[in-house]
Amino acid sequence: MIGCQTGTVRFYRRQVKFILSGWMMLLMMPPVFSADPDSEEPIAARRPEIVDLYPGQALSAEALAEQAKSSVVAVSFAGRDGQQAGLGTGFVISADGLIATNLHVIGEARPISVQFMDGNKFDVKEVHATDRQMDLAVLKIDAKDLTPLTLAEPDSLKQGAEVIALGNPQGLRYSVVKGVNSGTREIDGKPMIQLAIPIEPGNSGGPVLDAQGHVQGIVTLKSAVTRNLGYAVNISALKVLLEKPNPVPMNRWLTIGTLDERQWKPLFGSRWRQRAGRIMVEGFGSGLGSRSLCVSQEDLPALPYEIAVEVKLDDESGAAGLIFYSDENTRHYGFYPSNQSLRISRFDGSDVFLWRVLEEKKSNSYREGEWNQLKVRLETDRILCFVNDEQVFEVKDQRYTQGKAGLAKFRNTVAAFRGFQVAREIAPYRPSKETAQKILDLTEDLRVDRPPHDALVEEVIKETDEKRAQQALQERARLLTKQAERLQQLAQSIHERAVRDDLQQLFKKEKESEIDLLAAALLIARLDNSEVEVKTYLNQVAGMVGEIQKTLPAEATPRQKLKALNDYLFRETGFHGSRTNYYSRSNSYINETIEDREGLPITLAILYMELGRRLGLDIEGVGLPGHFVVRVNSTAEKGELVDVFEGGEIINEEEARAMIVSANSGRFDEEFLKAQPKKEIIKRMLRNLLNLARDDEDMQSMLRYVETMIAIDEDLMQERWLRAVLRYQTGRIAEAKTDADYLLEKSPEGFDLRRIHEFRNFLETVKPSE
């Protein structure tokens, strides 16, 4: 979920990274994930009718907006430069100046102001109440005779009721959006109202009004998955907060989290703050490379001396770390992690031509996503740089030899620092090997059925201090966790191998008619869920066939069988195309299609074909671009195309041609009307799952589906190249080399072999631990 504050920009994690050693590896063939004629697309769903729960009392959206507009305000806070740094929404809850909003809207330790629709602007005099867990804040302004909005009674908003949200999305002030209360959900342990409404940055803190104009909730989050979905804190949480306010005057609020100016001097924007012993920074800086500095005002000893800090990056694609020999402006050195590597750079001014990376390398001692200590030792003739006690650089550059030390961040990095220190010599960060081994020996027989006893705690403390004991034990815990992960991966790999072996056996049948398509589709579901028992669902389908046969005469015609099949599936048992959750992976699992009675065109078609086959009908799959249908050959001379997703509707030739032309860039291709072999149908199912995993940035699942496609069709060169890249991305370096060698040996037509050679050479430089 994403907070809706304009001043806080969050980026989605990048999709599968093909960035290798500073250059981008591009797939050298028609992209696997482009508009694929095999990928299924949803049919537009009809919007369900909204039941009017308050007949005769409900107001229109226009009337509600007009009634509430004088009570809704734009809430903004100022940045370090005095300019607006964030914009959200609030609303009046008392005539004497109380304004409700989200806590994340008002930032921390910043001047706050509110502006009404008529242009009147007020500085906030007091933060009247806050609740960090529920993300709520109540502001106090110096104003009288305001028009408050009425707060609704608890649990008075019914599911399906129409609502409107008022706010300032993307800085567009006083906007209105209309939608539906689609239910309640628990998000991060908090009960929320789920809104079928387009939520944008700036909507946060705005009121959600029911048909009577009562405030039912406060907009807090937008979905990271889909645009037209958001969440609001139930108004009952605000009522609880108002009963026990915790007022903070602005002269005290402005000191919350601020750095002590006697110790630190922030430069070039960004938001530096202090909390619980840590210094945190976020937001773009205004310096070179969106750089921002925080310079220590501590006096430095004479050379030689050392500077150290622990740093943790929110995203390893960012950059943040130490600076030294700083002129408290644009000139300094920097030592910092950047995009999975370590760098030491020299900054000689304010433009890109005055920024020089002196050295850059990866280090196995750096732990991504964790706290890492950076240390610099400054001597008269050299600079030594360490990460977690390992020396990574020795630099002789002597452009600068005097200046302050401090912290730096680049781009939109969010980072935290702790343990900044300057000393003639700084003690090692990690325990010695001898100390670590003693602690591990003491804990080797640690019981798993009860907590550690006091005597063991005393023994460990005798060996070293608390910090190093923690580090040694955490290191051991990290290793055991990794081993547990590898054991889980091994178990999963064994399961996947068994499923692929079963699929290979199915497709070794000489005759197409001997291949059990339903069993193959169930094995695809089992690939992702080891609890799926193929035999159980085969028996269930056999039972469904038996129910249909009971309704048929002894010598039923194909037309009678088809009608009985349609009646059973679509009218008696309610099987239907999935519309509201079309892109759920569940729709690609035929066992869940059977259980939930909804699915994609292809999963519904497989069930339809297999039921029909068991009834004696001749039905084959037809892979129209973007939409899978079936052809029933038993009932007409040329066969009849049937759209199972649409409840068994017959598609005539003209309609089929129009569907092909529409989905195939205006071109008609007769190939799309031919029956697809069962192997191609299963590969199409796997491609659908592959696309969904790509959207979720789930590389392990992507690899699983690609591996399975290749297992049943070893001639898939495009998929083999994708597998090589995915194997690299998931740490399977030897296997990636095998795929690259295979492609170089086969030299498939249409491939840029030079790129594959470059990739293969790159793999030789990758250490197994990377």
Side-chain angles (χ1 to χ4, degrees):
M1 301 304 163
I2 303 172
C4 311
Q5 179 188 1
T6 301
T8 303
V9 181
R10 293 192 183 274
F11 293 97
Y12 294 111
R13 297 281 183 182
R14 290 178 303 213
Q15 295 186 359
V16 178
K17 299 174 184 174
F18 298 116
I19 299 174
L20 308 175
S21 189
W23 48 271
M24 182 169 288
M25 289 296 297
L26 300 174
L27 294 180
M28 288 79 73
M29 67 290 291
V32 174
F33 304 121
S34 63
D36 187 340
D38 283 349
S39 62
E40 311 297 333
E41 290 296 330
I43 306 300
R46 298 181 181 88
R47 180 185 173 193
E49 291 185 3
I50 303 301
V51 178
D52 186 354
L53 300 176
Y54 305 96
Q57 301 178 31
L59 299 175
S60 67
E62 295 84 353
L64 288 169
E66 180 65 27
Q67 176 178 287
K69 68 181 183 182
S70 63
S71 303
V72 177
V73 300
V75 180
S76 60
F77 67 83
R80 291 186 178 277
D81 57 2
Q83 301 300 310
Q84 179 178 297
L87 175 67
T89 305
F91 58 95
V92 178
I93 57 174
S94 75
D96 59 353
L98 290 184
I99 309 288
T101 186
N102 287 141
L103 182 58
H104 79 256
V105 164
I106 64 175
E108 291 187 35
R110 294 287 181 269
I112 312 163
S113 64
V114 303
Q115 185 172 3
F116 287 80
M117 189 174 182
D118 60 9
N120 285 331
K121 190 172 184 178
F122 296 85
D123 291 331
V124 172
K125 302 299 182 184
E126 173 186 278
V127 178
H128 183 71
T130 58
D131 184 334
R132 187 171 298 276
Q133 181 181 1
M134 298 306 295
D135 192 20
L136 291 175
V138 179
L139 313 177
K140 182 74 169 68
I141 62 173
D142 189 6
K144 302 293 183 184
D145 301 323
L146 301 178
T147 304
L149 295 180
T150 303
L151 306 187
E153 292 300 318
D155 303 320
S156 59
L157 185 66
K158 304 301 181 183
Q159 188 173 17
E162 287 193 344
V163 293
I164 68 167
L166 306 176
N168 305 289
Q170 302 289 3
L172 302 174
R173 300 199 175 200
Y174 312 113
S175 294
V176 181
V177 287
K178 183 180 178 181
V180 176
N181 166 31
S182 58
T184 57
R185 296 287 183 271
E186 189 169 289
I187 307 296
D188 296 331
K190 299 175 288 189
M192 293 279 191
I193 302 171
Q194 181 173 299
L195 305 170
I197 282 180
I199 301 297
E200 297 295 343
N203 273 123
S204 282
V208 177
L209 304 181
D210 60 22
Q212 288 69 47
H214 298 163
V215 182
Q216 292 283 354
I218 301 174
V219 176
T220 301
L221 297 168
K222 71 172 289 185
S223 171
V225 178
T226 181
R227 180 176 178 271
N228 294 319
L229 184 64
Y231 296 89
V233 177
N234 195 295
I235 202 63
S236 59
L238 177 63
K239 290 184 174 183
V240 171
L241 180 60
L242 290 171
E243 291 174 1
K244 294 183 178 180
N246 50 328
V248 180
M250 286 307 293
N251 63 343
R252 290 186 56 201
W253 175 262
L254 295 177
T255 65
I256 293 176
T258 56
L259 298 174
D260 187 340
E261 62 184 14
R262 295 167 297 183
Q263 296 182 3
W264 296 101
K265 181 180 180 180
L267 298 171
F268 311 131
S270 291
R271 184 171 164 224
W272 295 87
R273 55 196 173 96
Q274 192 162 2
R275 188 179 183 86
R278 299 178 183 177
I279 293 176
M280 293 168 283
V281 62
E282 62 183 353
F284 285 101
S286 59
L288 171 64
S290 297
R291 174 180 30 154
S292 179
L293 308 181
C294 192
V295 182
S296 171
Q297 300 304 292
E298 183 176 347
D299 292 332
L300 300 172
L303 293 174
Y305 64 89
E306 297 178 349
I307 310 161
V309 74
E310 292 176 67
V311 63
K312 184 178 182 181
L313 303 183
D314 182 66
D315 183 342
E316 291 297 334
S317 64
L322 282 170
I323 63 167
F324 50 95
Y325 291 152
S326 168
D327 68 349
E328 299 189 76
N329 202 335
T330 59
R331 298 179 180 180
H332 58 83
Y333 291 93
F335 172 48
Y336 49 92
S338 177
N339 199 23
Q340 289 86 41
S341 293
L342 290 163
R343 281 184 179 180
I344 179 169
S345 302
R346 192 184 72 222
F347 298 84
D348 297 325
S350 58
D351 64 60
V352 70
F353 302 106
L354 300 174
W355 176 357
R356 182 183 176 192
V357 177
L358 301 176
E359 288 194 43
E360 180 174 7
K361 66 180 291 187
K362 288 182 177 291
S363 169
N364 289 332
S365 293
Y366 181 81
R367 303 189 181 280
E368 293 186 8
E370 300 180 20
W371 287 101
N372 291 275
Q373 189 198 58
L374 305 177
K375 184 172 75 173
V376 175
R377 179 171 177 81
L378 302 178
E379 300 179 354
T380 55
D381 59 346
R382 64 178 183 169
I383 301 167
L384 301 176
C385 299
F386 303 81
V387 61
N388 299 328
D389 296 334
E390 179 205 23
Q391 181 178 318
V392 287
F393 301 127
E394 179 179 354
V395 175
K396 300 288 188 178
D397 192 281
Q398 293 288 294
R399 174 70 63 89
Y400 309 120
T401 56
Q402 293 183 355
K404 296 285 190 180
L407 313 173
K409 56 86 63 179
F410 303 83
R411 303 189 289 278
N412 192 44
T413 304
V414 176
F417 302 88
R418 69 184 185 189
F420 179 83
Q421 52 185 317
V422 178
R424 301 284 297 186
E425 186 173 347
I426 295 173
Y429 179 60
R430 298 194 177 280
S432 66
K433 291 182 179 180
E434 294 75 16
T435 299
Q437 187 59 52
K438 287 181 181 178
I439 293 174
L440 295 181
D441 289 343
L442 287 171
T443 58
E444 185 175 6
D445 298 324
L446 186 67
R447 297 276 296 271
V448 297
D449 58 344
R450 69 185 186 195
H453 51 77
D454 289 345
L456 179 59
V457 174
E458 291 294 330
E459 286 184 272
V460 171
I461 289 177
K462 286 179 183 177
E463 295 299 330
T464 186
D465 59 70
E466 173 263 345
K467 181 176 180 179
R468 283 167 177 74
Q470 275 195 335
Q471 287 177 329
L473 292 169
Q474 287 169 351
E475 185 69 23
R476 178 63 174 165
R478 187 183 295 111
L479 177 61
L480 292 174
T481 299
K482 285 291 184 184
Q483 288 178 335
E485 288 176 2
R486 296 296 180 237
L487 289 171
Q488 292 285 358
Q489 286 181 339
L490 178 59
Q492 177 66 22
S493 296
I494 291 170
H495 164 70
E496 291 172 14
R497 175 65 179 272
V499 172
R500 284 194 281 270
D501 287 347
D502 289 343
L503 274 169
Q504 286 177 322
Q505 289 301 315
L506 279 178
F507 287 111
K508 282 182 178 178
K509 307 280 186 182
E510 292 186 5
K511 296 180 180 178
E512 179 80 359
S513 60
E514 295 176 348
I515 298 172
D516 191 332
L517 181 60
L518 179 61
L522 286 165
L523 284 170
I524 298 304
R526 182 170 169 78
L527 187 67
D528 282 355
N529 183 357
S530 61
E531 295 181 2
V532 173
E533 294 294 339
V534 172
K535 187 175 180 180
T536 298
Y537 289 97
L538 289 175
N539 290 338
Q540 188 171 341
V541 170
M544 295 166 72
V545 173
E547 290 185 48
I548 298 171
Q549 288 175 329
K550 289 178 184 177
T551 68
L552 292 170
E555 300 296 329
T557 66
R559 182 65 67 183
Q560 288 173 318
K561 291 178 181 179
L562 184 64
K563 182 179 184 304
L565 174 58
N566 286 337
D567 286 344
Y568 176 81
L569 271 186
F570 307 123
R571 283 169 277 285
E572 295 175 20
T573 56
F575 279 83
H576 60 281
S578 180
R579 300 178 188 275
T580 55
N581 294 299
Y582 189 90
Y583 291 109
S584 168
R585 289 197 206 185
S586 293
N587 287 324
S588 290
Y589 303 141
I590 199 162
N591 66 303
E592 295 191 39
T593 295
I594 293 170
E595 293 165 346
D596 300 338
R597 304 187 182 187
E598 67 175 290
L600 293 178
I602 194 168
T603 47
L604 288 169
I606 291 172
L607 178 61
Y608 193 86
M609 292 162 63
E610 290 298 292
L611 286 171
R613 181 175 67 82
R614 287 161 171 77
L615 290 169
L617 292 171
D618 179 10
I619 307 179
E620 58 192 10
V622 178
L624 300 182
H627 196 67
F628 200 91
V629 298
V630 302
R631 180 183 288 114
V632 183
N633 294 316
S634 314
T635 54
E637 185 177 341
K638 288 186 176 181
E640 293 177 309
L641 286 178
V642 177
D643 190 344
V644 186
F645 191 81
E646 293 294 344
E649 288 184 1
I650 301 296
I651 304 173
N652 61 39
E653 185 174 340
E654 183 180 345
E655 290 171 330
R657 283 175 169 269
M659 292 172 70
I660 293 171
V661 169
S662 174
N664 193 39
S665 303
R667 300 187 305 274
F668 174 74
D669 189 339
E670 192 76 32
E671 289 294 315
F672 287 121
L673 288 175
K674 293 182 179 179
Q676 281 200 329
K678 293 176 181 178
K679 182 183 289 188
E680 294 302 316
I681 293 172
I682 294 301
K683 283 157 58 177
R684 182 163 175 157
M685 290 185 72
L686 287 164
R687 287 194 181 97
N688 284 335
L689 285 165
L690 181 64
N691 285 336
L692 294 174
R694 182 278 314 267
D695 291 340
D696 294 337
E697 300 176 23
D698 183 352
M699 286 184 289
Q700 295 289 354
S701 292
M702 290 178 68
L703 180 58
R704 180 162 64 249
Y705 303 137
V706 173
E707 294 266 23
T708 306
M709 277 191 273
I710 295 171
I712 62 177
D713 189 350
E714 63 180 14
D715 295 329
L716 293 175
M717 297 298 163
Q718 181 172 307
E719 282 76 6
R720 194 177 290 270
W721 168 236
L722 176 58
R723 184 175 72 173
V725 178
L726 288 169
R727 281 175 162 179
Y728 159 72
Q729 289 291 336
T730 54
R732 297 165 170 87
I733 307 304
E735 292 90 339
K737 291 178 182 178
T738 300
D739 274 335
D741 290 339
Y742 182 92
L743 290 167
L744 290 171
E745 178 186 347
K746 296 293 184 181
S747 299
E749 185 178 350
F751 277 64
D752 185 342
L753 297 181
R754 178 181 58 84
R755 295 271 185 179
I756 300 176
H757 272 294
E758 289 177 353
F759 177 59
R760 181 63 177 84
N761 291 337
F762 167 78
L763 292 176
E764 289 296 334
T765 70
V766 179
K767 296 179 181 179
S769 60
E770 290 185 37

